[in-house]
Amino acid sequence: MSPSSARRTVTAALGLTGAAVGALAARDLTQKKHSILRIYPVIGHMRYFLESIRPELQQYFIERNWDGRPFDREVRTVVYERAKGIHGEQAFGTERDVNATGYEYLVHSLQPVMQPPEPSRVLIGGPDCTQPYSMAVLNVSAMSFGSLSSHAIQALNIGAREGGFAHDTGEGSLTPYHEEGGDLIWELGTGYFGARTPDGLLDEEAFREKAMKDQVKAISVKLSQGAKPGIGGVLPGPKVTAEIAGIRGVPEGEKCVSPPAHTMFDTPRGLIEFIARLRQLSGGKPVGFKLCVGSKVEVLSLCKAMLEVGTAPDFIHIDGSEGGTGAAPLEFEDHMGMPLTQGLMTMHNALVGVGLRDRVKIGAAGKVAAGNDIIKRMIQGADYTLSARAMMMAVGCIQALACHTGKCPTGVATQDPRRVRGLVVEDKSVRVTQYQQGTVDSAMSLMAAMGVDDPADLRPWMLRRNLSPTENASYATLYQWLQPGELLEDPPDHWADAWGAASAESFRTHHFA
Protein backbone atom coordinates (compact mmCIF):
# COMPACT_ATOMS: atom_id res chain seq x y z
CA MET A 1 0.00 0.00 0.00
CA SER A 2 1.35 3.41 -0.95
CA PRO A 3 1.83 6.13 1.71
CA SER A 4 -1.03 8.16 0.26
CA SER A 5 -3.40 5.16 0.36
CA ALA A 6 -2.43 4.44 3.95
CA ARG A 7 -3.09 8.06 4.93
CA ARG A 8 -6.53 7.92 3.30
CA THR A 9 -7.35 4.68 5.13
CA VAL A 10 -6.29 6.12 8.46
CA THR A 11 -8.20 9.33 7.79
CA ALA A 12 -11.35 7.36 6.91
CA ALA A 13 -11.02 5.21 10.05
CA LEU A 14 -10.58 8.28 12.21
CA GLY A 15 -13.58 9.86 10.56
CA LEU A 16 -15.75 6.84 11.23
CA THR A 17 -14.52 6.66 14.83
CA GLY A 18 -15.23 10.36 15.32
CA ALA A 19 -18.69 9.96 13.85
CA ALA A 20 -19.43 7.00 16.14
CA VAL A 21 -18.19 8.92 19.18
CA GLY A 22 -20.25 11.92 18.14
CA ALA A 23 -23.38 9.80 17.72
CA LEU A 24 -22.81 8.19 21.12
CA ALA A 25 -22.29 11.60 22.70
CA ALA A 26 -25.51 12.89 21.12
CA ARG A 27 -27.43 9.89 22.41
CA ASP A 28 -25.95 10.28 25.89
CA LEU A 29 -26.84 13.97 26.02
CA THR A 30 -30.45 13.41 24.98
CA GLN A 31 -31.29 10.23 26.94
CA LYS A 32 -33.07 10.76 30.26
CA LYS A 33 -32.33 7.60 32.27
CA HIS A 34 -28.72 8.17 33.39
CA SER A 35 -27.62 11.47 34.87
CA ILE A 36 -23.94 10.52 34.64
CA LEU A 37 -24.16 10.08 30.86
CA ARG A 38 -26.03 13.37 30.38
CA ILE A 39 -23.34 15.21 32.35
CA TYR A 40 -20.33 13.19 31.15
CA PRO A 41 -21.17 11.87 27.67
CA VAL A 42 -19.03 9.03 26.30
CA ILE A 43 -16.52 8.89 29.18
CA GLY A 44 -19.39 8.18 31.61
CA HIS A 45 -19.62 4.69 30.10
CA MET A 46 -16.31 3.87 31.79
CA ARG A 47 -18.10 3.99 35.13
CA TYR A 48 -20.60 1.31 34.09
CA PHE A 49 -17.87 -0.85 32.57
CA LEU A 50 -15.78 -0.76 35.73
CA GLU A 51 -18.86 -1.49 37.83
CA SER A 52 -19.62 -4.54 35.68
CA ILE A 53 -16.19 -6.06 36.40
CA ARG A 54 -16.02 -4.95 40.03
CA PRO A 55 -16.35 -8.52 41.45
CA GLU A 56 -13.42 -9.67 39.33
CA LEU A 57 -11.29 -6.64 40.26
CA GLN A 58 -12.11 -7.17 43.93
CA GLN A 59 -11.42 -10.90 43.86
CA TYR A 60 -8.23 -10.93 41.81
CA PHE A 61 -6.49 -7.67 42.67
CA ILE A 62 -7.79 -6.16 45.91
CA GLU A 63 -8.95 -8.71 48.50
CA ARG A 64 -6.41 -10.42 50.71
CA ASN A 65 -6.21 -14.21 51.00
CA TRP A 66 -8.26 -14.31 54.19
CA ASP A 67 -10.92 -11.59 53.94
CA GLY A 68 -12.97 -12.32 50.83
CA ARG A 69 -16.71 -13.01 51.04
CA PRO A 70 -18.66 -15.29 51.01
CA PHE A 71 -15.59 -17.58 50.75
CA ASP A 72 -12.10 -16.16 51.02
CA ARG A 73 -9.25 -16.93 48.64
CA GLU A 74 -7.63 -19.46 50.99
CA VAL A 75 -10.79 -21.55 51.25
CA ARG A 76 -11.48 -21.37 47.52
CA THR A 77 -7.91 -22.46 46.80
CA VAL A 78 -8.25 -25.45 49.14
CA VAL A 79 -11.44 -26.53 47.35
CA TYR A 80 -9.93 -26.12 43.88
CA GLU A 81 -6.71 -27.94 44.79
CA ARG A 82 -8.48 -30.83 46.48
CA ALA A 83 -10.83 -31.15 43.51
CA LYS A 84 -7.76 -31.49 41.29
CA GLY A 85 -6.20 -34.08 43.59
CA ILE A 86 -3.65 -31.66 45.08
CA HIS A 87 -3.21 -31.76 48.84
CA GLY A 88 -3.79 -28.05 49.45
CA GLU A 89 -0.80 -27.38 51.66
CA GLN A 90 0.52 -23.92 52.56
CA ALA A 91 4.04 -22.72 53.27
CA PHE A 92 5.45 -20.28 55.82
CA GLY A 93 2.67 -20.37 58.41
CA THR A 94 -0.85 -19.05 58.73
CA GLU A 95 -1.92 -15.64 57.45
CA ARG A 96 -4.76 -15.52 59.98
CA ASP A 97 -4.62 -13.28 63.04
CA VAL A 98 -4.81 -16.03 65.64
CA ASN A 99 -5.18 -13.49 68.46
CA ALA A 100 -8.17 -11.72 66.95
CA THR A 101 -11.45 -11.65 68.84
CA GLY A 102 -13.74 -14.33 67.45
CA TYR A 103 -10.95 -16.54 66.12
CA GLU A 104 -11.77 -20.21 66.80
CA TYR A 105 -9.46 -23.19 67.00
CA LEU A 106 -9.58 -26.93 67.66
CA VAL A 107 -7.83 -28.42 70.70
CA HIS A 108 -5.19 -31.01 69.78
CA SER A 109 -4.03 -33.80 72.06
CA LEU A 110 -0.57 -34.67 73.35
CA GLN A 111 -1.65 -38.26 72.77
CA PRO A 112 -3.03 -38.27 69.22
CA VAL A 113 -4.39 -41.48 67.76
CA MET A 114 -4.01 -43.15 64.39
CA GLN A 115 -6.39 -41.91 61.73
CA PRO A 116 -9.23 -44.40 61.15
CA PRO A 117 -8.54 -46.58 58.08
CA GLU A 118 -12.00 -45.84 56.72
CA PRO A 119 -13.96 -42.55 56.96
CA SER A 120 -16.73 -42.46 59.53
CA ARG A 121 -20.33 -42.88 58.41
CA VAL A 122 -23.65 -42.25 60.17
CA LEU A 123 -26.66 -44.59 60.11
CA ILE A 124 -29.84 -42.60 59.40
CA GLY A 125 -33.11 -44.15 60.50
CA GLY A 126 -35.10 -44.19 63.72
CA PRO A 127 -37.24 -47.01 65.12
CA ASP A 128 -40.03 -46.37 62.58
CA CYS A 129 -37.66 -46.58 59.60
CA THR A 130 -37.28 -49.97 57.91
CA GLN A 131 -34.70 -48.93 55.29
CA PRO A 132 -31.95 -47.04 57.18
CA TYR A 133 -29.20 -45.35 55.18
CA SER A 134 -25.48 -45.05 55.91
CA MET A 135 -24.63 -41.35 55.40
CA ALA A 136 -21.15 -39.96 54.71
CA VAL A 137 -19.91 -37.14 56.92
CA LEU A 138 -19.84 -34.75 53.90
CA ASN A 139 -22.53 -34.75 51.22
CA VAL A 140 -23.94 -32.55 48.46
CA SER A 141 -26.44 -30.08 49.89
CA ALA A 142 -29.71 -29.08 48.22
CA MET A 143 -29.40 -27.53 44.76
CA SER A 144 -32.10 -27.90 42.11
CA PHE A 145 -31.89 -28.52 38.40
CA GLY A 146 -33.02 -25.20 37.02
CA SER A 147 -30.92 -23.26 39.45
CA LEU A 148 -27.95 -25.41 38.37
CA SER A 149 -27.33 -26.61 34.85
CA SER A 150 -27.91 -30.15 33.65
CA HIS A 151 -24.16 -30.74 33.34
CA ALA A 152 -23.53 -29.51 36.89
CA ILE A 153 -26.22 -31.83 38.28
CA GLN A 154 -24.83 -34.78 36.34
CA ALA A 155 -21.28 -34.08 37.53
CA LEU A 156 -22.42 -33.85 41.15
CA ASN A 157 -24.37 -37.09 40.96
CA ILE A 158 -21.64 -39.07 39.23
CA GLY A 159 -19.17 -37.67 41.76
CA ALA A 160 -21.47 -38.81 44.58
CA ARG A 161 -21.76 -42.26 43.01
CA GLU A 162 -18.02 -42.72 42.69
CA GLY A 163 -17.30 -41.28 46.14
CA GLY A 164 -20.07 -43.05 48.03
CA PHE A 165 -21.85 -39.99 49.42
CA ALA A 166 -25.35 -38.53 49.10
CA HIS A 167 -26.68 -35.88 46.72
CA ASP A 168 -29.66 -33.72 47.79
CA THR A 169 -31.85 -32.90 44.79
CA GLY A 170 -33.07 -29.52 46.02
CA GLU A 171 -36.77 -28.73 45.80
CA GLY A 172 -36.81 -28.76 41.98
CA SER A 173 -37.61 -32.51 42.00
CA LEU A 174 -35.92 -35.57 40.60
CA THR A 175 -34.69 -35.22 37.03
CA PRO A 176 -32.96 -37.54 34.55
CA TYR A 177 -29.74 -35.67 35.35
CA HIS A 178 -29.93 -36.84 38.96
CA GLU A 179 -30.21 -40.47 37.91
CA GLU A 180 -26.55 -41.23 37.23
CA GLY A 181 -26.36 -43.75 40.06
CA GLY A 182 -25.45 -41.52 43.00
CA ASP A 183 -27.43 -41.87 46.23
CA LEU A 184 -30.21 -39.27 46.41
CA ILE A 185 -31.95 -37.32 49.14
CA TRP A 186 -35.16 -36.20 47.47
CA GLU A 187 -36.11 -32.79 48.78
CA LEU A 188 -39.81 -31.97 48.80
CA GLY A 189 -40.51 -28.26 49.10
CA THR A 190 -43.69 -26.27 49.44
CA GLY A 191 -44.36 -26.59 45.70
CA TYR A 192 -44.23 -30.43 45.86
CA PHE A 193 -42.52 -30.35 42.46
CA GLY A 194 -42.54 -33.69 40.67
CA ALA A 195 -45.36 -34.96 42.86
CA ARG A 196 -47.98 -32.21 42.83
CA THR A 197 -51.63 -32.07 41.91
CA PRO A 198 -52.85 -29.28 39.59
CA ASP A 199 -53.95 -27.28 42.64
CA GLY A 200 -50.54 -27.55 44.32
CA LEU A 201 -51.14 -30.36 46.83
CA LEU A 202 -49.15 -33.58 47.20
CA ASP A 203 -49.98 -36.29 44.67
CA GLU A 204 -49.40 -39.39 46.79
CA GLU A 205 -49.21 -41.82 43.89
CA ALA A 206 -46.67 -39.69 42.02
CA PHE A 207 -44.69 -39.35 45.23
CA ARG A 208 -44.78 -43.09 45.91
CA GLU A 209 -43.56 -43.91 42.40
CA LYS A 210 -40.48 -41.68 42.70
CA ALA A 211 -39.76 -42.37 46.39
CA MET A 212 -39.67 -46.12 45.79
CA LYS A 213 -36.79 -45.79 43.31
CA ASP A 214 -33.73 -47.58 44.62
CA GLN A 215 -31.52 -44.53 44.05
CA VAL A 216 -33.67 -42.46 46.44
CA LYS A 217 -32.27 -43.20 49.90
CA ALA A 218 -34.09 -40.53 51.94
CA ILE A 219 -36.75 -37.82 51.67
CA SER A 220 -36.34 -34.31 53.11
CA VAL A 221 -39.27 -31.93 53.62
CA LYS A 222 -38.04 -28.35 53.17
CA LEU A 223 -39.55 -25.90 55.64
CA SER A 224 -37.13 -23.05 54.96
CA GLN A 225 -33.65 -22.38 53.65
CA GLY A 226 -30.78 -20.31 54.92
CA ALA A 227 -30.55 -17.80 52.09
CA LYS A 228 -34.16 -16.69 52.41
CA PRO A 229 -36.00 -18.15 55.39
CA GLY A 230 -39.68 -17.29 55.39
CA ILE A 231 -40.19 -16.91 51.64
CA GLY A 232 -40.58 -19.47 48.90
CA GLY A 233 -38.14 -20.23 46.14
CA VAL A 234 -38.33 -18.44 42.80
CA LEU A 235 -37.16 -19.66 39.41
CA PRO A 236 -37.40 -16.77 36.90
CA GLY A 237 -39.63 -17.31 33.87
CA PRO A 238 -36.75 -17.40 31.34
CA LYS A 239 -35.27 -20.35 33.26
CA VAL A 240 -38.55 -22.31 33.16
CA THR A 241 -37.91 -24.19 29.94
CA ALA A 242 -40.24 -26.84 28.54
CA GLU A 243 -38.03 -29.48 30.14
CA ILE A 244 -38.09 -27.88 33.60
CA ALA A 245 -41.83 -27.23 33.33
CA GLY A 246 -42.44 -30.90 32.56
CA ILE A 247 -40.25 -32.07 35.43
CA ARG A 248 -41.81 -29.74 37.99
CA GLY A 249 -45.38 -29.81 36.69
CA VAL A 250 -45.68 -26.04 36.13
CA PRO A 251 -46.41 -23.78 33.10
CA GLU A 252 -43.53 -23.21 30.69
CA GLY A 253 -42.00 -19.73 30.56
CA GLU A 254 -43.77 -18.47 33.66
CA LYS A 255 -42.09 -17.59 36.94
CA CYS A 256 -42.07 -20.71 39.12
CA VAL A 257 -42.78 -19.77 42.72
CA SER A 258 -42.75 -22.07 45.72
CA PRO A 259 -45.27 -20.88 48.33
CA PRO A 260 -43.74 -19.61 51.57
CA ALA A 261 -45.54 -22.28 53.61
CA HIS A 262 -46.76 -25.85 53.09
CA THR A 263 -50.36 -26.56 52.18
CA MET A 264 -50.36 -30.17 53.47
CA PHE A 265 -49.97 -29.09 57.11
CA ASP A 266 -50.01 -25.91 59.20
CA THR A 267 -49.01 -27.06 62.69
CA PRO A 268 -46.03 -28.86 64.22
CA ARG A 269 -48.26 -31.88 64.84
CA GLY A 270 -49.32 -31.80 61.19
CA LEU A 271 -45.69 -31.80 60.05
CA ILE A 272 -44.79 -34.85 62.15
CA GLU A 273 -47.88 -36.71 60.91
CA PHE A 274 -47.00 -35.73 57.32
CA ILE A 275 -43.49 -37.12 57.79
CA ALA A 276 -44.93 -40.38 59.10
CA ARG A 277 -47.18 -40.60 56.04
CA LEU A 278 -44.27 -39.99 53.64
CA ARG A 279 -42.24 -42.68 55.40
CA GLN A 280 -45.12 -45.10 54.86
CA LEU A 281 -45.53 -44.13 51.19
CA SER A 282 -41.77 -44.51 50.55
CA GLY A 283 -41.66 -48.04 51.91
CA GLY A 284 -40.02 -47.15 55.21
CA LYS A 285 -37.16 -44.98 53.97
CA PRO A 286 -35.70 -42.26 56.23
CA VAL A 287 -37.75 -39.05 56.15
CA GLY A 288 -36.77 -35.78 57.77
CA PHE A 289 -37.04 -32.05 57.34
CA LYS A 290 -34.79 -29.08 56.64
CA LEU A 291 -35.05 -25.59 58.12
CA CYS A 292 -33.22 -22.45 59.02
CA VAL A 293 -33.98 -22.01 62.73
CA GLY A 294 -35.97 -18.93 63.65
CA SER A 295 -36.77 -19.19 67.35
CA LYS A 296 -36.27 -21.54 70.26
CA VAL A 297 -40.04 -21.67 70.78
CA GLU A 298 -40.64 -23.09 67.29
CA VAL A 299 -37.94 -25.71 67.76
CA LEU A 300 -39.50 -26.79 71.05
CA SER A 301 -42.95 -26.85 69.43
CA LEU A 302 -41.59 -29.38 66.95
CA CYS A 303 -40.16 -31.44 69.81
CA LYS A 304 -43.48 -31.41 71.67
CA ALA A 305 -45.22 -32.57 68.49
CA MET A 306 -42.79 -35.51 68.21
CA LEU A 307 -43.54 -36.51 71.79
CA GLU A 308 -47.33 -36.18 71.41
CA VAL A 309 -47.60 -37.94 68.03
CA GLY A 310 -45.27 -40.70 69.17
CA THR A 311 -42.91 -40.63 66.21
CA ALA A 312 -40.07 -38.41 65.04
CA PRO A 313 -38.23 -37.53 61.85
CA ASP A 314 -35.26 -39.72 61.08
CA PHE A 315 -33.07 -36.67 60.48
CA ILE A 316 -33.15 -32.88 60.57
CA HIS A 317 -31.02 -30.69 58.30
CA ILE A 318 -30.12 -27.31 59.78
CA ASP A 319 -29.44 -24.55 57.27
CA GLY A 320 -27.63 -21.49 58.59
CA SER A 321 -28.55 -17.96 57.56
CA GLU A 322 -25.05 -17.71 56.06
CA GLY A 323 -26.07 -20.34 53.48
CA GLY A 324 -27.17 -19.30 50.05
CA THR A 325 -26.78 -20.91 46.63
CA GLY A 326 -30.27 -19.67 45.80
CA ALA A 327 -30.83 -16.07 44.72
CA ALA A 328 -32.56 -14.06 47.43
CA PRO A 329 -33.37 -10.45 48.33
CA LEU A 330 -30.39 -8.79 50.00
CA GLU A 331 -32.41 -7.99 53.11
CA PHE A 332 -33.19 -11.68 53.61
CA GLU A 333 -29.62 -12.83 52.95
CA ASP A 334 -28.15 -10.32 55.37
CA HIS A 335 -30.74 -9.89 58.09
CA MET A 336 -33.07 -12.90 58.40
CA GLY A 337 -32.63 -16.21 60.15
CA MET A 338 -30.36 -17.76 62.76
CA PRO A 339 -26.69 -18.43 61.89
CA LEU A 340 -25.74 -22.09 61.70
CA THR A 341 -23.83 -22.21 64.99
CA GLN A 342 -26.80 -21.00 67.05
CA GLY A 343 -29.40 -22.90 65.03
CA LEU A 344 -27.48 -26.16 65.17
CA MET A 345 -26.87 -26.02 68.91
CA THR A 346 -30.48 -24.98 69.58
CA MET A 347 -31.84 -28.02 67.72
CA HIS A 348 -29.26 -30.38 69.21
CA ASN A 349 -29.95 -29.27 72.78
CA ALA A 350 -33.73 -29.32 72.31
CA LEU A 351 -33.64 -32.93 71.11
CA VAL A 352 -31.32 -33.88 73.97
CA GLY A 353 -33.56 -32.09 76.45
CA VAL A 354 -36.66 -34.06 75.40
CA GLY A 355 -34.83 -37.39 75.18
CA LEU A 356 -35.04 -37.79 71.39
CA ARG A 357 -31.48 -37.07 70.28
CA ASP A 358 -30.56 -40.75 69.96
CA ARG A 359 -33.25 -41.40 67.35
CA VAL A 360 -32.96 -38.18 65.28
CA LYS A 361 -29.75 -37.49 63.36
CA ILE A 362 -28.74 -33.91 62.52
CA GLY A 363 -27.06 -32.68 59.34
CA ALA A 364 -25.44 -29.22 59.20
CA ALA A 365 -25.43 -27.12 56.03
CA GLY A 366 -23.93 -23.65 55.77
CA LYS A 367 -20.44 -22.67 54.53
CA VAL A 368 -19.01 -26.16 55.04
CA ALA A 369 -15.93 -26.28 52.82
CA ALA A 370 -12.90 -27.67 54.66
CA GLY A 371 -12.15 -30.46 57.12
CA ASN A 372 -12.15 -28.11 60.11
CA ASP A 373 -15.71 -27.05 59.19
CA ILE A 374 -16.85 -30.67 59.46
CA ILE A 375 -15.22 -31.15 62.88
CA LYS A 376 -16.53 -27.82 64.16
CA ARG A 377 -20.11 -28.64 63.20
CA MET A 378 -19.88 -32.10 64.77
CA ILE A 379 -18.67 -30.55 68.02
CA GLN A 380 -21.63 -28.17 67.89
CA GLY A 381 -24.09 -31.04 67.59
CA ALA A 382 -24.19 -32.32 64.01
CA ASP A 383 -23.80 -35.97 63.02
CA TYR A 384 -22.79 -35.14 59.43
CA THR A 385 -22.56 -32.17 57.06
CA LEU A 386 -23.76 -31.07 53.66
CA SER A 387 -22.10 -28.58 51.33
CA ALA A 388 -23.54 -26.65 48.38
CA ARG A 389 -21.25 -23.79 47.38
CA ALA A 390 -18.01 -25.73 47.93
CA MET A 391 -19.42 -28.53 45.75
CA MET A 392 -20.23 -25.88 43.12
CA MET A 393 -16.59 -24.74 43.28
CA ALA A 394 -15.46 -28.34 42.84
CA VAL A 395 -17.56 -28.40 39.67
CA GLY A 396 -15.92 -25.19 38.45
CA CYS A 397 -17.70 -22.22 40.11
CA ILE A 398 -15.37 -19.20 40.47
CA GLN A 399 -17.62 -17.23 42.87
CA ALA A 400 -18.57 -14.75 40.15
CA LEU A 401 -21.75 -13.89 42.14
CA ALA A 402 -23.84 -14.18 38.97
CA CYS A 403 -25.95 -17.24 39.89
CA HIS A 404 -29.25 -15.37 39.53
CA THR A 405 -28.49 -13.77 36.15
CA GLY A 406 -28.34 -16.85 33.93
CA LYS A 407 -24.86 -15.69 32.86
CA CYS A 408 -22.71 -17.93 35.06
CA PRO A 409 -19.30 -17.83 33.31
CA THR A 410 -18.48 -21.47 34.09
CA GLY A 411 -21.74 -23.19 33.09
CA VAL A 412 -22.64 -24.18 36.66
CA ALA A 413 -25.66 -21.98 37.45
CA THR A 414 -27.20 -21.28 34.05
CA GLN A 415 -29.47 -22.78 31.40
CA ASP A 416 -27.62 -21.10 28.51
CA PRO A 417 -26.68 -24.03 26.21
CA ARG A 418 -23.43 -22.40 25.12
CA ARG A 419 -22.30 -21.85 28.69
CA VAL A 420 -23.50 -25.28 29.86
CA ARG A 421 -21.51 -26.93 27.07
CA GLY A 422 -18.31 -25.54 28.60
CA LEU A 423 -18.76 -27.71 31.70
CA VAL A 424 -17.41 -31.17 30.85
CA VAL A 425 -19.19 -33.72 33.01
CA GLU A 426 -16.53 -36.42 32.75
CA ASP A 427 -13.85 -34.07 34.11
CA LYS A 428 -15.86 -32.25 36.77
CA SER A 429 -17.43 -35.40 38.26
CA VAL A 430 -13.93 -36.65 39.10
CA ARG A 431 -13.21 -33.34 40.80
CA VAL A 432 -16.35 -33.63 42.93
CA THR A 433 -15.26 -37.06 44.14
CA GLN A 434 -11.71 -35.93 44.81
CA TYR A 435 -12.83 -32.83 46.68
CA GLN A 436 -15.16 -34.78 48.96
CA GLN A 437 -12.63 -37.51 49.66
CA GLY A 438 -9.80 -35.06 50.32
CA THR A 439 -11.93 -32.98 52.67
CA VAL A 440 -13.24 -35.96 54.63
CA ASP A 441 -9.70 -37.29 54.89
CA SER A 442 -8.63 -33.91 56.29
CA ALA A 443 -11.46 -34.04 58.83
CA MET A 444 -10.46 -37.54 59.95
CA SER A 445 -6.84 -36.40 60.26
CA LEU A 446 -7.84 -33.41 62.40
CA MET A 447 -9.97 -35.66 64.58
CA ALA A 448 -7.07 -38.06 65.13
CA ALA A 449 -4.80 -35.16 66.10
CA MET A 450 -7.39 -34.30 68.74
CA GLY A 451 -7.04 -37.81 70.21
CA VAL A 452 -10.37 -39.02 68.81
CA ASP A 453 -11.09 -41.88 66.40
CA ASP A 454 -14.91 -41.70 66.53
CA PRO A 455 -16.95 -38.50 65.91
CA ALA A 456 -19.22 -39.51 68.81
CA ASP A 457 -16.29 -38.75 71.15
CA LEU A 458 -15.95 -35.11 70.06
CA ARG A 459 -16.83 -32.76 72.91
CA PRO A 460 -17.63 -29.01 73.24
CA TRP A 461 -14.41 -28.34 75.17
CA MET A 462 -12.44 -29.29 72.05
CA LEU A 463 -13.45 -26.06 70.28
CA ARG A 464 -12.32 -22.70 71.68
CA ARG A 465 -13.01 -19.07 70.76
CA ASN A 466 -11.05 -15.90 71.49
CA LEU A 467 -13.21 -13.52 73.53
CA SER A 468 -10.53 -10.84 73.30
CA PRO A 469 -6.83 -10.73 72.36
CA THR A 470 -6.02 -12.01 75.87
CA GLU A 471 -8.99 -14.25 76.79
CA ASN A 472 -10.55 -17.37 75.29
CA ALA A 473 -13.05 -20.00 76.33
CA SER A 474 -14.31 -23.37 75.12
CA TYR A 475 -17.77 -24.10 73.78
CA ALA A 476 -18.34 -26.14 76.94
CA THR A 477 -18.45 -22.93 78.98
CA LEU A 478 -19.58 -20.43 76.34
CA TYR A 479 -22.89 -22.19 75.83
CA GLN A 480 -25.37 -24.12 77.94
CA TRP A 481 -25.65 -27.82 77.13
CA LEU A 482 -28.75 -29.70 78.26
CA GLN A 483 -28.76 -33.18 79.76
CA PRO A 484 -30.95 -36.00 78.37
CA GLY A 485 -34.59 -35.47 79.36
CA GLU A 486 -33.84 -32.24 81.27
CA LEU A 487 -36.63 -30.26 79.61
CA LEU A 488 -39.18 -32.88 80.64
CA GLU A 489 -38.10 -32.86 84.28
CA ASP A 490 -36.91 -29.39 85.26
CA PRO A 491 -36.29 -26.92 82.39
CA PRO A 492 -33.36 -24.58 83.21
CA ASP A 493 -33.99 -20.83 83.33
CA HIS A 494 -32.73 -20.15 79.78
CA TRP A 495 -35.21 -22.67 78.38
CA ALA A 496 -38.15 -22.57 80.79
CA ASP A 497 -40.08 -19.67 79.23
CA ALA A 498 -39.68 -21.00 75.69
CA TRP A 499 -40.69 -24.50 76.80
CA GLY A 500 -43.83 -23.10 78.41
CA ALA A 501 -44.73 -21.10 75.29
CA ALA A 502 -44.18 -23.97 72.82
CA SER A 503 -47.19 -25.87 71.50
CA ALA A 504 -47.57 -28.82 69.18
CA GLU A 505 -50.71 -27.15 67.82
CA SER A 506 -49.18 -23.96 66.42
CA PHE A 507 -46.02 -22.59 64.84
CA ARG A 508 -47.07 -19.10 65.82
CA THR A 509 -46.34 -17.52 69.18
CA HIS A 510 -46.36 -14.01 70.59
CA HIS A 511 -43.87 -15.06 73.20
CA PHE A 512 -40.33 -13.72 72.93
CA ALA A 513 -37.63 -16.37 73.25
Side-chain angles (χ1 to χ4, degrees):
M1 182 184 293
S2 66
S4 58
S5 297
R7 283 193 296 272
R8 286 194 298 271
T9 300
V10 171
T11 300
L14 291 174
L16 288 173
T17 301
V21 170
L24 179 61
R27 193 194 72 172
D28 290 346
L29 288 167
T30 56
Q31 59 82 34
K32 299 179 180 180
K33 291 184 177 180
H34 303 288
S35 298
I36 287 178
L37 296 182
R38 284 174 66 86
I39 299 171
Y40 308 102
V42 182
I43 62 173
H45 287 280
M46 183 60 68
R47 183 261 184 189
Y48 297 104
F49 169 72
L50 291 174
E51 184 181 50
S52 71
I53 62 171
R54 181 179 179 276
E56 288 80 5
L57 291 174
Q58 181 80 16
Q59 184 177 129
Y60 297 125
F61 301 108
I62 298 174
E63 73 177 38
R64 296 170 297 183
N65 285 344
W66 62 90
D67 61 6
R69 295 288 187 273
F71 290 86
D72 62 47
R73 166 57 61 182
E74 279 190 350
V75 171
R76 298 198 304 271
T77 298
V78 165
V79 174
Y80 296 143
E81 289 186 348
R82 287 212 175 118
K84 295 173 184 177
I86 303 172
H87 291 295
E89 296 173 339
Q90 176 176 294
F92 224 64
T94 181
E95 294 184 66
R96 309 274 169 170
D97 181 358
V98 297
N99 294 308
T101 300
Y103 175 80
E104 295 185 340
Y105 63 93
L106 302 171
V107 178
H108 72 282
S109 173
L110 289 179
Q111 191 175 10
V113 299
M114 294 298 294
Q115 183 175 333
E118 295 293 331
S120 300
R121 298 187 74 89
V122 181
L123 191 64
I124 309 297
D128 298 319
C129 172
T130 58
Q131 296 191 54
Y133 174 65
S134 178
M135 187 82 74
V137 296
L138 177 63
N139 306 277
V140 182
S141 194
M143 293 179 285
S144 303
F145 169 60
S147 295
L148 297 193
S149 69
S150 58
H151 284 197
I153 295 293
Q154 284 180 294
L156 289 169
N157 196 255
I158 294 172
R161 181 190 72 200
E162 297 303 309
F165 51 96
H167 177 192
D168 192 312
T169 66
E171 65 178 307
S173 185
L174 295 171
T175 72
Y177 309 112
H178 288 100
E179 300 188 68
E180 297 286 353
D183 291 346
L184 291 174
I185 303 169
W186 179 17
E187 183 172 285
L188 203 63
T190 55
Y192 307 116
F193 297 130
R196 60 183 273 130
T197 64
D199 55 351
L201 299 176
L202 179 73
D203 184 327
E204 290 196 352
E205 286 307 311
F207 171 81
R208 188 200 303 270
E209 179 182 351
K210 289 183 172 66
M212 293 292 282
K213 291 185 175 184
D214 183 62
Q215 196 178 343
V216 175
K217 303 300 182 183
I219 294 94
S220 175
V221 178
K222 192 200 88 167
L223 303 182
S224 60
Q225 65 188 86
K228 46 190 172 185
I231 58 174
V234 177
L235 190 64
K239 279 193 169 186
V240 185
T241 62
E243 180 181 37
I244 292 173
I247 289 169
R248 296 194 178 192
V250 297
E252 178 184 353
E254 295 184 16
K255 181 170 66 175
C256 179
V257 179
S258 302
H262 281 263
T263 53
M264 298 300 295
F265 58 87
D266 58 6
T267 66
R269 175 188 290 274
L271 167 62
I272 302 305
E273 292 173 344
F274 183 63
I275 286 173
R277 178 60 177 159
L278 294 183
R279 189 187 291 120
Q280 180 184 29
L281 291 170
S282 67
K285 292 182 179 179
V287 181
F289 61 82
K290 167 184 136 180
L291 81 164
C292 176
V293 175
S295 77
K296 191 182 291 185
V297 173
E298 288 187 334
V299 168
L300 293 176
S301 294
L302 292 168
C303 291
K304 284 189 174 182
M306 298 174 204
L307 294 171
E308 293 183 16
V309 176
T311 188
D314 298 293
F315 62 88
I316 297 173
H317 289 168
I318 305 296
D319 223 3
S321 61
E322 62 269 49
T325 54
L330 181 66
E331 297 89 340
F332 276 81
E333 285 195 334
D334 288 352
H335 305 289
M336 185 72 80
M338 195 177 287
L340 180 56
T341 292
Q342 290 93 321
L344 177 56
M345 289 193 296
T346 298
M347 182 61 74
H348 167 75
N349 276 291
L351 290 170
V352 170
V354 297
L356 293 174
R357 185 64 181 87
D358 61 336
R359 61 188 291 182
V360 181
K361 296 297 187 290
I362 296 179
K367 293 191 76 171
V368 175
N372 58 289
D373 297 321
I374 296 174
I375 299 300
K376 175 181 175 179
R377 298 313 179 187
M378 286 180 166
I379 288 174
Q380 293 172 345
D383 296 292
Y384 57 93
T385 63
L386 306 103
S387 175
R389 285 171 290 183
M391 291 292 181
M392 288 174 65
M393 285 188 269
V395 171
C397 166
I398 59 172
Q399 194 171 282
L401 307 181
C403 307
H404 59 297
T405 66
K407 298 180 180 180
C408 169
T410 59
V412 177
T414 181
Q415 300 303 310
D416 181 336
R418 181 179 65 85
R419 296 172 187 266
V420 173
R421 180 180 175 277
L423 196 161
V424 179
V425 173
E426 293 77 13
D427 174 61
K428 301 305 183 185
S429 62
V430 173
R431 296 193 180 195
V432 171
T433 302
Q434 291 181 158
Y435 162 67
Q436 193 270 354
Q437 291 178 337
T439 303
V440 170
D441 182 71
S442 172
M444 296 298 103
S445 178
L446 286 168
M447 192 171 68
M450 298 165 71
V452 173
D453 58 10
D454 185 340
D457 294 328
L458 292 169
R459 294 291 181 265
W461 63 263
M462 297 177 177
L463 178 61
R464 300 187 69 89
R465 179 190 297 164
N466 287 348
L467 305 181
S468 73
T470 58
E471 296 178 291
N472 67 66
S474 78
Y475 268 62
T477 57
L478 282 173
Y479 297 94
Q480 184 180 36
W481 300 86
L482 297 181
Q483 297 301 310
E486 189 173 358
L487 289 174
L488 303 177
E489 298 169 3
D490 184 20
D493 292 342
H494 288 96
W495 288 81
D497 287 347
W499 180 252
S503 170
E505 305 305 328
S506 178
F507 286 112
R508 299 181 182 277
T509 177
H510 299 293
H511 189 279
F512 174 79

